[in-house]
């Protein structure tokens, strides 16, 4: 691309920065007559010496310590095992896992009542799902036996 004003021609020269461009009028610098350039000085601040008044001890003594952080109750492990076994009883290991879930659920409910641990909901869910899984297993096996007996007694004549 070619420079229309010629190579190296620059209308702005740093040595003439206060001069106006050709064809422009230079205006005087604005000065506010009310504003004088005062010299700001920080006044010397005296830091008063604050004294803590010595209050007398209360007549009745200090209040006893009334609380603080308490660790949350731990969840009973058998309750979690009961729920996991109940879900396995519905899906992969139908009767064995369901019976184990019911047993673990009853044991964990007894431990929760005795120790005050958390996990009562897990234990209850494990019991309910375990019993439902056992009931479904009994119904399905009973239906299979019923259909097998009915199919074997029918004649093909």
């Amino acid at each position: 691309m070619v420079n229309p004003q010629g190579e190296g021609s620059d209308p702005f020269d740093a040595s003439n920065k206060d001069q106006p461009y050709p064809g422009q009028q230079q205006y005087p610098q604005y000065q506010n007559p009310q504003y004088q350039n005062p010299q700001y000085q920080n006044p010397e601040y005296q830091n008063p010496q604050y004294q803590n008044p010595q209050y007398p001890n209360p007549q009745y003594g200090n209040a006893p310590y009334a609380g603080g952080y308490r660790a949350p109750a731990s969840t009973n492990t058998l309750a979690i095992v009961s729920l996991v076994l109940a879900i396995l009883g519905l899906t992969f290991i139908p009767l064995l896992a369901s019976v184990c879930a019911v047993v673990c659920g009853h044991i964990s409910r007894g431990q929760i009542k005795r120790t005050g641990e958390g996990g009562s909901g897990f234990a209850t869910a494990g019991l309910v799902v375990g019993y439902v899984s056992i009931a479904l297993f009994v119904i399905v096996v009973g239906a299979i036996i019923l259909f097998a007996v009915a199919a074997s007694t029918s004649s093909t004549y």
Side-chain angles (χ1 to χ4, degrees), residues 99-121:
V99 171
C100 290
V102 169
V103 170
C104 287
H106 281 294
I107 293 172
S108 67
R109 298 237 338 165
Q111 288 178 352
I112 289 170
K113 286 179 185 176
R114 192 172 53 251
T115 62
E117 288 179 309
S120 176

Side-chain angles (χ1 to χ4, degrees), residues 2-149:
V2 178
N3 190 350
Q5 297 177 350
E7 187 68 33
S9 64
D10 186 10
F12 180 75
D13 187 12
S15 62
N16 296 332
K17 66 180 182 178
D18 294 330
Q19 300 297 324
Y21 286 112
Q24 289 184 345
Q25 180 182 2
Q26 186 173 7
Y27 295 104
Q29 189 175 6
Y30 176 75
Q31 294 179 356
N32 188 349
Q34 296 175 348
Y35 178 74
Q36 304 289 331
N37 193 3
Q39 296 295 328
Y40 290 108
Q41 296 178 358
N42 291 333
E44 305 240 350
Y45 289 108
Q46 303 260 337
N47 289 334
Q49 297 295 325
Y50 292 106
Q51 297 177 357
N52 293 331
Q54 296 297 323
Y55 294 107
N57 288 334
Q59 182 180 2
Y60 301 107
N62 293 333
Y65 183 69
Y69 178 74
R70 245 181 62 186
S74 62
T75 303
N76 189 305
T77 306
L78 274 179
I80 296 171
V81 169
S82 171
L83 182 60
V84 169
L85 286 173
I87 292 170
L88 284 175
L90 277 176
T91 55
F92 298 114
I93 313 169
L95 187 62
L96 181 64
S98 300
V99 171
C100 290
V102 169
V103 170
C104 287
H106 281 294
I107 293 172
S108 67
R109 298 237 338 165
Q111 288 178 352
I112 289 170
K113 286 179 185 176
R114 192 172 53 251
T115 62
E117 288 179 309
S120 176
F122 289 136
T124 304
L127 283 171
V128 169
V129 174
Y131 279 128
V132 167
S133 178
I134 291 172
L136 286 175
F137 182 79
V138 169
I139 290 171
V140 168
V141 169
I144 290 172
I145 292 173
L146 184 67
F147 285 125
V149 169

